[in-house]
Structures are given as structure tokens and as C-alpha cells.
Amino acid sequence: MTRYGFALRLARQDALRAKGRTALVLGMIGLPICAVVALAVLRATSTARDRSAGAEPASAAESAVLALIVAMIVLEVVLLAGPAFVVDVRRRRRDLALVAASGGEGRHLRAVVLASGLLLGGTAAVGGAALGIAAAALAAWTAEARGAEPLGPFTVPWLLVAATMLVGAGSGLLAALVPAAQAARTDVVAVLSGRREAPAAARRGWPVAGGVLVVAGVALCLEGVRKWREFGAAIGAAAIIIGLVLTCPWLVGAAGRLARRLPLPLRLAVRDAGRNRARTAPAVAAIMAAVAGITALAIGGASDFRQEQIEYQATLPMGSALVRPPLDRADAVGEAVRRDLPGVPVVTLKALPGPDGGCVGDDWSKCPAVTFAAERDENASFDLMDNVVGGAREARMVLGRDDPAVTAALDAGKVVLFRAAPLAGGTTTAKVFYWEDDEEHVVRTVEDLPAVVAAGDPHVRAIVPPRVAERIGLPVRTEAFGVDRADHRVTEAEQARLDRTLDGFTRNEGSVYVERGFTGSFGKVTLMLAAVAAALALGGSLIATGLASADALPDLATLGAIGARPRTRRLLTMGRAAFIAALGCWLGIAGGFVPGIAVTRPLTSDVEVTGAAAHGAIVDVPWTLLLAVGIGIPLLVALVAGAFTRSRLPMARRLAR
């Protein structure tokens, strides 16, 4: 049997024997693969829909940022799974030493560890890909079942899925490289005699290279966004994170040298982490990389959310409601609305079709629109309706108040225009037209219509008196049903009932809108980011803490022999976990802060909503989340580590040296 076959057999037997560690490694590799495959399938499905609709494909910058995200996920997998394989090598070092004592060479020991990485990585990749496809199918089905627009024909990008599976298997192999190199250098005599091996010397060039990368990443973040926008911030963030990964061993050692003033259990924990950087630094780096990405996302997301809040514009007067029916079933919807709101005055809003109107059927020559000549405000938005036909009642509905000037103009038979420059001569011209083959066809024009320009922004182009609408000659159609806030304020329960009623008529057209102001919240996103950071910090810290506890059994026995109290072991374990989590979280916050600030410039400097006031870049730092990550997560990790640690100190025989 070749050494590879022998190594795979040993890896399989050990995986079945150590089921807890096997499940942990499979989850670390498989869950990120599952997430990447699910996102890839959903993206391919929506891309297929967009392609059939003639939409443009994703830009090169978006693809590059997606590639960076995948690369960071692979880095995170390697950093999280690496300590687990280190634990495995330490746990199996006696077996490896016996293999070496039986004639095995360093390459045989290396092959045994690499086989474990390949076996677990390959298994996790296959399982993660299958779960990802299933999760994407379930997400698409759930979204459509809840009434969302169909994503498109379910499409699985098999080439991308296969590449992701290869990346998953390769990440398991990469995570096992350093432990395999350590296994190949096993001191057989020291292991079989029960002595601990001396820690390997640190590489002095890594901190320097890491510092250079961090400085370069900061420069890329601050200057790259000016030229490459989000792509520049993403490249800078990747450089900062990789630089901090390279400096982590040195930072862990430096922290160990500063522990002299700490209480005894924490001092022992920090110094032990500094002496054994090979097991501590990967866990710290994994937590740091995850928290850095979460910090950048949190700052960018909070700033983007703040921009939405600043730029929000009410479509209706606060408290009013509007029901838009399908154009071909407006009368039936009106009757249903009045049944759902008994005793509530419902205003029927009729309109002349405008440039933004719809058409029942494909022949647009049968659906001409009308527009009134005026110098419009470039920032005006007419997303409520085009040309409302009516008088004072309809004007109060869209304006939210009684306007004597508007009422007087409508009573005098004048068209009332909004968000336009004053009219010369007090008249306007109505143009009736339709579009066909991207060409405008004018049906007729009606000149010398009396008109005025009114103040306010009701998000409609004009209010047209009924007799003027008759002169224009287009059929007036019912486009909406309104509930004036002065008559009734629609509750959330009533809105839900109206939504269900409208779903009975159509699922793709029509809507129920109640103006309640800006009601968005960033709280759910904050909780999700904090949960992800806590899970990754907990996993990385407990892995490194478990390895440290296994290595420190002789030290704990010595503490017991000299009279240490039973809770010393618990406090020592809690100190190790808290130190690893705190160092990783603080480094991550520092590493993600600059990219997060930098990405706010391309995200928030441009005005996204038509009609909103101009503003510069908006920076909103979620300090509550960052404090929870920097202080709350280390405390949580310490409590969990203490809860799963026995207080009784083990008694062991110390070997004479």
C-alpha cells in the first residue's frame, strides 16, 4: 500500500473515532461553502431573468468584489480550520511518533495530516454544495410563496459550483499545511517520553511585511475610493486584513510581554498564549479577519441606512393611504376597499394618463398620454400619479390640506401644475401623444389652456378640472382610491386586510401604501452582524483554548501540587479564551474601521432619491455594535469557556528532566 493510501485509511479511522472534532471541522468548511453556493445559485437565477428581460450583465467591478469576498471566505476557513488541525496533530502526536519509530519518515507523517485535511475538506465541500443548492431552492420558493416577484428559472451554475467545491477541498488542504509541517518535525523521543517540544522560532520578516501591507491597505482605502470607488476600498481592506494576519504572531508575543501587572490567572493565560503562538495566532487572526469584515460592513451599512433616512421623501401626506388597483379591474377593487373600510370616506382618484402611465395591452397607440407644456424642476418626482382629474376634494387628498389658491384655480377651470416655473401668459398647451418603436407620435395638441403653478410637492404633475379634461378629449380612468388623513388613519391591521384583498385580484399589479414616514430599522442587521461575529469569535477562541488546556495539563498539575484553589483552572481557561477573543476583536475593529469609513464616500456621496437635497459623504459609525463586539463578545466567550471547564485540577505524575 502506498503512503497515500495508508494516510487516507488512518485519516478515515481517526475521523470516525473523533466525531466531535470531525463535525467541527466539517461545519467550519462546509457552512461557508454552503453560503457561497447558495448566493451563486440565486445570483445565476436572477441573472437568467435579467438576461431574458434584456438587462445589462453585472459589471467587472461587481465581479471583482465578489471574487474578493470568496477569497476572504477561503482565508477565514483556513484560519479557523487551521487551529483545529493543530489540535488534531497535538492529540495524535503519540500515534505519529509511533509511526516514525516504526520506520516512517517525515513525508509519511506529513501525508497522514494532509490526508485528514483533504478528506474532511472534500467531504465538507460536497455536503456544503448540496446544502447550498437546497437552501437556494428553498429561499426562491419561500420568496415566491410570500408574493415576491419570481427570481426567474432556477439555474445552477455547475461550473461555479464545481470551482467552489474545489476551493473548499483546497481550503481544507491549505489549513492542514502548517500542522503537517509540524508533524513532519516531530521529536519522537520527546513525545514518547512525555516531554513537550520546544516552540518553533518566529519568523522575523512577517511582522515587517504585514506592517507594510497594512500601511498600503490604508492608503488604498483612502485614495483608491476616489478612482475605483467600492472596488478600491475592497482591495484596501483585503490588504489590511492580510497584513494583520502576518503580524498576529508578533502581536500575540508582544501582548504576552505586557502581562506582568495582570491578575495571576490572566497573567498565566496571556504568557502561555505568547509562548505558544503557533496555536494562538491562527485563532486570533481568524477572529480578526471576521470582525474586520463585519466592522467595515457595519459602518458602510449604517451610513447607507442613514442616507436613506436623510433622503426619504413622503409620497403622500403623513397618515393618508392610497390603493392602486389593476387598471382593468378598478371598479371591483373600489367596491372591495369600501367593504374593508366600512364607514370610511374613500376618494376615487381619476386621472388622465401621463408619460409614466401604463397600458392594458401591447398596442400603445390605443393608450395615448398627455403632458402639459411647462419648465419642470429637474429634481421633481411624480411617482404618485400623473394628471389627477378633479376639484377641491381631490386636491386636499394629494396635498394633505385645504389650499384656497388651488381650490380657487380649479373652480375657475384652470389647470394647476406643480414643481414647474411660472407660466408666461397664464396658459399652457396639452400634448397628446404615444410612443412606438422609440419614436414619439403626436396625436393632437390643445393650446391656450388656462393654468397656474402652485406651491408644494404632492408628487403629481397636475390637477386638471373635469371640463378641461373634456377639452383634451382623452378618456379619464380610475387609477387609485385614497383615504384622506383628515377622514381616517388606516391602521396596520387594516392595511394588511387591504393587501390580502388586493392579492385576490392580482399579484403582479396594484399596491396598498400608507404614509407612515421613514420606518426602516438597522437593528435586525446589527443583531445579525453581532451574531456572526460572536459565533466566529466563539469557535476560534474555544478551539485555541481547548488546545491550550490539553497542552497545559502538566502546568495545571504543578499548580495543584503547590496549593492552587480548584477554581484556578476555570479562571485560567476563561482568561485564555477572553484574551484570544479580545485581541482578535480589537484588532478586527481597528482593521475594519478605515475601510468602513472609506467605503462611505462612494456609497453615500451621491443623492439616490430624486428631489432630495444635495449632501456630501455620510459617515455613521454604529458605536453600540462595535462596543458589543469589543467588550461583550470577549466576556461571552470567557463565560462559555468557564461553563464547559471543570474546576477540579488534574493530578499527574511529573517526569524528571
Side-chain angles (χ1 to χ4, degrees):
M1 180 183 295
T2 64
R3 70 172 184 270
Y4 299 108
F6 173 72
L8 283 172
R9 190 176 69 177
L10 283 183
R12 178 179 176 276
Q13 292 175 352
D14 183 73
L16 294 175
R17 185 168 59 248
K19 295 183 175 62
R21 179 196 61 89
T22 301
L24 181 65
V25 176
L26 289 177
M28 287 178 181
I29 301 175
L31 290 179
I33 297 301
C34 172
V36 172
V37 169
L39 290 175
V41 172
L42 291 175
R43 185 170 183 266
T45 301
S46 60
T47 301
R49 178 199 62 190
D50 295 341
R51 189 181 298 114
S52 63
E56 295 182 359
S59 65
E62 291 176 349
S63 301
V65 171
L66 184 63
L68 278 175
I69 293 174
V70 173
M72 296 308 298
I73 289 176
V74 172
L75 176 64
E76 188 69 22
V77 168
V78 171
L79 291 174
L80 278 175
F85 284 111
V86 173
V87 173
D88 181 54
V89 170
R90 295 294 180 89
R91 182 180 57 82
R92 299 168 60 191
R93 58 183 176 178
R94 184 172 181 83
D95 296 337
L96 294 172
L98 290 175
V99 172
S102 302
E105 301 178 5
R107 56 195 176 94
H108 296 97
L109 303 182
R110 187 163 48 246
V112 169
V113 180
L114 290 177
S116 294
L118 183 61
L119 177 65
L120 295 179
T123 304
V126 174
L131 285 176
I133 295 174
L138 180 62
W141 177 81
T142 303
E144 293 182 11
R146 291 185 175 183
E149 183 180 354
L151 293 176
F154 190 74
T155 305
V156 179
W158 292 110
L159 185 60
L160 185 57
V161 170
T164 306
M165 292 171 61
L166 287 176
V167 167
S171 63
L173 196 61
L174 286 173
L177 280 179
V178 173
Q182 294 176 353
R185 298 192 300 266
T186 298
D187 187 340
V188 179
V189 176
V191 172
L192 294 180
S193 63
R195 299 197 307 270
R196 286 184 289 184
E197 302 175 64
R203 298 179 182 269
R204 296 183 178 180
W206 284 13
V208 177
V212 172
L213 273 177
V214 170
V215 173
V218 171
L220 272 173
C221 285
L222 297 178
E223 296 297 328
V225 293
R226 301 178 185 274
K227 184 176 181 181
W228 300 307
R229 296 179 66 81
E230 294 93 339
F231 188 49
I235 295 177
I240 291 174
I241 292 174
I242 294 173
L244 289 176
V245 168
L246 294 179
T247 59
C248 267
W250 178 81
L251 291 171
V252 170
R257 292 190 290 272
L258 301 175
R260 64 182 63 183
R261 294 189 178 183
L262 296 174
L264 177 62
L266 189 57
R267 182 164 71 246
L268 291 176
V270 174
R271 286 179 173 175
D272 178 72
R275 286 194 304 269
N276 297 275
R277 284 169 285 186
R279 69 167 182 244
T280 307
V284 171
I287 298 170
M288 178 274 302
V291 173
I294 288 171
T295 300
L297 285 175
I299 295 175
S303 301
D304 191 45
F305 176 78
R306 179 60 178 162
Q307 180 190 16
E308 292 179 6
Q309 188 177 23
I310 291 174
E311 295 183 359
Y312 177 80
Q313 291 182 312
T315 303
L316 287 171
M318 196 63 61
S320 295
L322 192 75
V323 179
R324 290 182 177 276
L327 294 178
D328 56 344
R329 306 190 66 183
D331 294 338
V333 171
E335 294 176 1
V337 169
R338 289 181 172 87
R339 285 196 303 269
D340 285 344
L341 300 175
V344 175
V346 177
V347 181
T348 301
L349 294 177
K350 297 181 178 293
L352 289 171
D356 299 327
C359 181
V360 180
D362 297 329
D363 188 358
W364 282 86
S365 64
K366 297 181 180 179
C367 301
V370 61
T371 184
F372 296 96
E375 184 179 346
R376 297 286 184 181
D377 185 349
E378 294 181 355
N379 293 324
S381 61
F382 306 112
D383 49 2
L384 180 60
M385 295 176 67
D386 280 313
N387 307 302
V388 177
V389 176
R393 186 74 173 99
E394 289 76 11
R396 192 182 74 175
M397 173 67 211
V398 298
L399 288 171
R401 67 185 190 281
D402 288 318
D403 190 322
V406 172
T407 301
L410 293 173
D411 290 341
K414 296 180 180 180
V415 178
V416 180
L417 304 178
F418 297 95
R419 297 296 294 267
L423 301 172
T427 61
T428 185
T429 298
K431 179 176 66 174
V432 180
F433 67 98
Y434 66 91
W435 287 91
E436 186 175 15
D437 298 330
D438 294 330
E439 184 178 352
E440 182 184 284
H441 299 270
V442 178
V443 177
R444 62 180 174 274
T445 59
V446 182
E447 300 179 349
D448 298 328
L449 294 175
V452 296
V453 175
D457 184 15
H459 295 275
V460 299
R461 295 179 184 273
I463 301 179
V464 184
R467 59 177 177 266
V468 175
E470 293 177 2
R471 285 186 58 189
I472 295 173
L474 286 182
V476 177
R477 65 190 185 189
T478 300
E479 289 196 357
F481 299 95
V483 178
D484 195 334
R485 64 181 180 180
D487 298 326
H488 178 73
R489 301 246 176 172
V490 176
T491 65
E492 293 184 359
E494 291 172 336
Q495 183 179 0
R497 186 165 65 245
L498 290 171
D499 279 323
R500 290 192 297 270
T501 298
L502 206 61
D503 286 341
F505 290 93
T506 178
R507 293 183 59 183
N508 298 324
E509 297 180 53
S511 64
V512 179
Y513 180 75
V514 180
E515 185 57 69
R516 306 185 192 278
F518 186 79
T519 57
S521 173
F522 198 64
K524 292 182 179 179
V525 179
T526 300
L527 289 176
M528 182 188 68
L529 292 175
V532 172
L536 292 173
L538 189 64
S541 301
L542 293 183
I543 289 171
T545 303
L547 175 58
S549 299
D551 279 353
L553 287 178
D555 296 335
L556 294 174
T558 301
L559 289 174
I562 63 176
R565 289 176 293 182
R567 68 170 180 267
T568 301
R569 183 186 182 191
R570 187 187 302 275
L571 293 175
L572 186 58
T573 302
M574 293 173 67
R576 289 194 185 102
F579 170 72
I580 294 169
L583 186 58
C585 289
W586 294 345
L587 286 175
I589 292 173
F593 198 84
V594 173
I597 296 294
V599 81
T600 59
R601 180 184 178 89
L603 274 180
T604 65
S605 58
D606 299 330
V607 177
E608 299 291 338
V609 178
T610 303
H615 56 76
I618 299 172
V619 179
D620 188 4
V621 180
W623 294 110
T624 302
L625 172 62
L626 298 186
L627 288 175
V629 170
I631 299 175
I633 288 180
L635 291 177
L636 174 64
V637 169
L639 291 175
V640 172
F644 287 94
T645 303
R646 293 178 297 177
S647 298
R648 186 176 297 277
L649 293 170
M651 297 302 296
R653 180 174 61 88
R654 298 302 303 264
L655 298 175
R657 290 182 174 84

